[in-house]
Amino acid sequence: MELSVYKIDGSESGKKVVLDENIFGVTPNDHAIYLDVKQYLANQRQGTAKTKDRSEIAYSTKKLIRQKGSGGARHGSLKAGIYVGGGRVFGPMPRLYRKKLNKKLKQLARFSALSYKAQENAITMVEPFAMEAPKTKELNQILANIKAGTRKVLVVLPENSDNIYLSSRNLPEVKVITVDEINTYAIMNANSMVLVDGVQDILASRIRR
């Protein structure tokens, strides 16, 4: 797949790049995407939710009523879950939600997601650029110039740029990441992608054969 590289003013630079078919032209594997997204979301969970069960409630252990003869049900403690202030029955406890996937499966998922974006013509290439200071308005204008879209735009940089990242923080529909941070969830969650020229070469150099 061949794409034109745009300047930040929206004009064509005259350069064209050919996207690697091993990355942007694979047959998408939906199940691999599902597993990778599921792992990503699971790994974001803290797993620190906690409630007290009846063994942890600070109440008297005195038996409320006699075992038999009251005409009602048996009750042994105010700590029981049926009373206000009692322990929670089967409440959440701290746990790890983290999942593992092998590297080749995660790579297949990423390449499948990138291939979907290529099939949808949702990838825009832009030449490398820098910002002298964090300017939200300036970054917004650049994205408008290259017609990157107005909803859920993922910008992928070859290397970290604090000024570009800080410029995007007030743009709720724009997410800026480096090529090291690229993941299946971010790709699938975006409506369009902006790749800074050079990202495609870094991805190609990291293919696991």
Side-chain angles (χ1 to χ4, degrees), residues 159-205:
E159 57 187 19
N160 186 49
S161 172
D162 290 339
N163 288 338
I164 296 177
Y165 170 73
L166 293 173
S167 299
S168 71
R169 289 201 302 180
N170 281 340
L171 298 173
E173 297 294 333
V174 178
K175 181 177 179 63
V176 174
I177 62 175
T178 65
V179 67
D180 294 329
E181 300 168 317
I182 197 167
N183 61 80
T184 305
Y185 176 79
I187 298 168
M188 296 303 295
N189 192 47
N191 288 344
S192 61
M193 294 182 65
V194 175
L195 302 184
V196 175
D197 190 19
V199 166
Q200 74 281 2
D201 296 328
I202 296 174
L203 287 173
S205 67

Side-chain angles (χ1 to χ4, degrees), residues 143-162:
L143 296 177
N145 290 342
I146 62 176
K147 299 177 181 177
T150 57
R151 295 192 66 249
K152 291 189 176 182
V153 180
L154 179 65
V155 180
V156 186
L157 307 175
E159 57 187 19
N160 186 49
S161 172
D162 290 339

Side-chain angles (χ1 to χ4, degrees), residues 1-200:
M1 181 178 181
E2 188 176 74
L3 292 178
S4 297
V5 179
Y6 289 91
K7 297 181 180 179
I8 58 175
D9 61 4
S11 62
E12 291 193 17
S13 66
K15 179 181 178 181
K16 294 185 182 294
V17 296
V18 178
L19 299 181
D20 193 333
E21 289 295 315
N22 294 317
I23 300 174
F24 297 89
V26 303
T27 301
N29 187 313
D30 291 341
H31 189 61
I33 292 175
Y34 161 76
L35 291 175
D36 200 11
V37 169
K38 184 177 180 180
Q39 185 214 28
Y40 176 85
L41 294 176
N43 290 353
Q44 306 308 302
R45 300 183 67 174
Q46 288 186 323
T48 54
K50 171 73 170 67
T51 57
K52 291 184 178 181
D53 61 27
R54 64 185 295 169
S55 70
E56 299 170 304
I57 300 295
Y59 273 167
S60 170
T61 58
K62 179 183 176 182
K63 188 169 176 63
L64 302 180
I65 56 176
R66 61 181 180 171
Q67 181 78 352
K68 295 178 180 297
S70 68
R74 298 170 293 180
H75 294 291
S77 171
L78 274 173
K79 297 180 179 182
I82 64 174
Y83 291 111
V84 174
R88 174 78 179 272
V89 180
F90 302 127
M93 302 294 284
R95 55 166 291 191
L96 287 177
Y97 288 92
R98 296 188 67 84
K99 298 178 182 294
K100 290 185 178 181
L101 288 179
N102 69 57
K103 293 179 180 179
K104 285 194 174 183
L105 181 60
K106 290 178 69 67
Q107 177 180 267
L108 174 60
R110 281 195 302 273
F111 292 172
S112 295
L114 289 169
S115 296
Y116 268 128
K117 286 294 179 279
Q119 291 173 12
E120 296 164 3
N121 294 318
I123 299 177
T124 303
M125 297 293 304
V126 64
E127 65 180 9
F129 66 96
M131 300 179 68
E132 296 181 358
K135 293 287 184 181
T136 300
K137 186 176 181 180
E138 183 180 338
L139 179 61
N140 202 28
Q141 186 58 54
I142 290 173
L143 296 177
N145 290 342
I146 62 176
K147 299 177 181 177
T150 57
R151 295 192 66 249
K152 291 189 176 182
V153 180
L154 179 65
V155 180
V156 186
L157 307 175
E159 57 187 19
N160 186 49
S161 172
D162 290 339
N163 288 338
I164 296 177
Y165 170 73
L166 293 173
S167 299
S168 71
R169 289 201 302 180
N170 281 340
L171 298 173
E173 297 294 333
V174 178
K175 181 177 179 63
V176 174
I177 62 175
T178 65
V179 67
D180 294 329
E181 300 168 317
I182 197 167
N183 61 80
T184 305
Y185 176 79
I187 298 168
M188 296 303 295
N189 192 47
N191 288 344
S192 61
M193 294 182 65
V194 175
L195 302 184
V196 175
D197 190 19
V199 166
Q200 74 281 2

